[in-house]
Amino acid sequence: MALVGLEELRAAQRRIEGVAVRTPLMPCPWADRGPEGGSGERRLWLKPENLQPTGAFKIRGAYNRLAALSDAERARGVVAQSSGNHAQAVAYAARLLGLKAVIVMPDTSPAVKVASTRSFGAEVVLVPPEQRDTLPAELAERHGYVWVPPYDDPWIIAGQGTVGLEIGEDAPDELDTVLVPVSGGGLISGTAAALKLSCPGVRVVGVEPELAADAQQSLRTGRRTSWPVADTYRTVADGLRTPSVGELPFEHLQAYVDDIVTVSEAEIRDTVALLARSGRLVAEPSGAVAPAAYFHRSAELGGRVFAAVVSGGNIDPGLLAELLATGA
């Protein structure tokens, strides 16, 4: 399979203009600190994708894919699977384009994500987690829907990669490391491709929960590895529970990603609270993993000037209140 190139990335950037927000690259002076075991100051910039219309970066890829459908494909409607953020993005994009959307979601999805997906007019089908990735193909065959996968698709990867184009355009000259969360791999694939092709000196490091570290294992061993659903569903980061990185994303990881590090559940929870209190940013646990690596894994990372993608902010209000209370 061919890797996504600058032409596809820039075409996606033009296609999503006016639909996805061009989020700023925010300086975080409250996060500046000296590196562990060293001297000098480290600096952090945040890319707040929680500010997107659907609360996460996924609108970029979803709209890029749906807007490129032919008239005949649009008439068939679309089906997608997601724990929540791709679900909301496809539902929202489908509403903008006047398409029917059916979304398969695990019955463990946060209620706030299910409700939001339905509010955009999509039909939601709740299933046990192990059926999330199999039912869409059945529905597509049965009803003729166009399947819109969450990450293993060049249109999705190109759309998500607009995050990397924007970072490259807005970053300070001294930026040396970009931290990106990893699940199925669409975001880091596109972001890494965009950065390596436009800012080749920048390192791209993925971040995963320790309890769902299949992509780290895959990259370091050179073999695409799958983890049991029962294992990945232990993490509070519900958007990062995908049991394996996609086939096309894995090729991008091998070509463009320098490393993948992991963070603990306690570190993820602590960072959600820290971003809210100090950064005035509401991040869901999945959205907090990249900055969590900056705060808790500096010895592994090296680097001086970082950008970290806050990939989403669709957190259950009760969980946010709990994390703010325990992190006080």
Side-chain angles (χ1 to χ4, degrees):
M1 291 182 282
L3 301 181
V4 169
L6 275 177
E7 182 178 347
E8 292 89 352
L9 289 159
R10 288 175 176 150
Q13 191 173 40
R14 293 190 296 270
R15 193 174 288 115
I16 69 173
E17 185 177 2
V19 175
V21 173
R22 195 188 197 287
T23 55
L25 198 60
M26 297 173 49
C28 301
W30 52 271
D32 294 346
R33 55 179 57 192
E36 297 172 7
S39 60
E41 188 179 78
R42 297 165 68 239
R43 288 190 287 144
L44 175 67
W45 299 69
L46 292 176
K47 181 71 167 168
E49 287 295 292
N50 57 313
L51 302 181
Q52 290 294 346
T54 58
F57 74 95
K58 291 283 192 176
I59 185 58
R60 296 172 180 269
Y63 191 82
N64 189 51
R65 182 68 194 96
L66 267 60
L69 294 175
S70 68
D71 289 342
E73 289 172 323
R74 293 187 184 197
R76 291 159 52 190
V78 298
V79 64
Q81 79 267 34
S82 170
S83 63
N85 287 336
H86 182 62
Q88 293 169 86
V90 172
Y92 179 67
R95 188 177 75 175
L96 292 179
L97 294 167
L99 312 182
K100 175 181 175 61
V102 177
I103 313 295
V104 177
M105 302 181 71
D107 54 18
T108 55
S109 298
V112 64
K113 294 184 177 182
V114 176
S116 179
T117 303
R118 286 179 169 145
S119 76
F120 294 131
E123 176 187 341
V124 174
V125 181
L126 296 175
V127 298
E130 59 272 13
Q131 295 180 21
R132 188 195 80 158
D133 294 326
T134 57
L135 184 58
E138 297 175 19
L139 294 176
E141 182 176 358
R142 190 183 312 158
H143 300 288
Y145 302 138
V146 176
W147 182 26
V148 183
Y151 47 83
D152 212 344
D153 179 278
W155 298 91
I156 297 290
I157 290 172
Q160 319 303 26
T162 59
V163 169
L165 289 180
E166 292 173 13
I167 292 174
E169 291 164 358
D170 296 346
D173 291 340
E174 60 270 28
L175 178 73
D176 56 49
T177 307
V178 177
L179 304 173
V180 187
V182 187
S183 181
L187 175 61
I188 194 170
S189 293
T191 298
L195 288 166
K196 293 295 186 178
L197 294 172
S198 61
C199 308
V202 174
R203 295 171 61 242
V204 180
V205 178
V207 188
E208 282 186 303
E210 290 177 349
L211 298 182
D214 56 280
Q216 182 194 63
Q217 182 179 349
S218 297
L219 182 63
R220 292 187 177 181
T221 63
R223 298 188 306 275
R224 184 167 161 265
T225 304
S226 180
W227 281 31
V229 169
D231 288 350
T232 61
Y233 269 68
R234 295 174 297 167
T235 179
V236 69
D238 63 275
L240 306 182
R241 292 170 176 169
T242 303
S244 64
V245 69
E247 293 182 13
L248 184 55
F250 183 53
E251 294 190 23
H252 285 76
L253 261 64
Q254 291 183 300
Y256 296 125
V257 175
D258 294 281
D259 195 12
I260 296 177
V261 301
T262 63
V263 288
S264 71
E265 296 299 291
E267 290 162 352
I268 295 169
R269 290 170 176 267
D270 172 76
T271 305
V272 170
L274 178 61
L275 291 174
R277 290 197 305 269
S278 299
R280 281 75 64 190
L281 289 174
V282 175
E284 61 189 282
S286 303
V289 297
Y294 172 86
F295 292 112
H296 298 284
R297 290 289 186 266
S298 60
E300 295 178 53
L301 295 174
R304 295 283 181 179
V305 182
F306 292 78
V309 179
V310 180
S311 57
N314 293 313
I315 186 172
D316 179 83
L319 177 59
L320 178 60
E322 174 193 330
L323 298 182
L324 286 171
T326 57

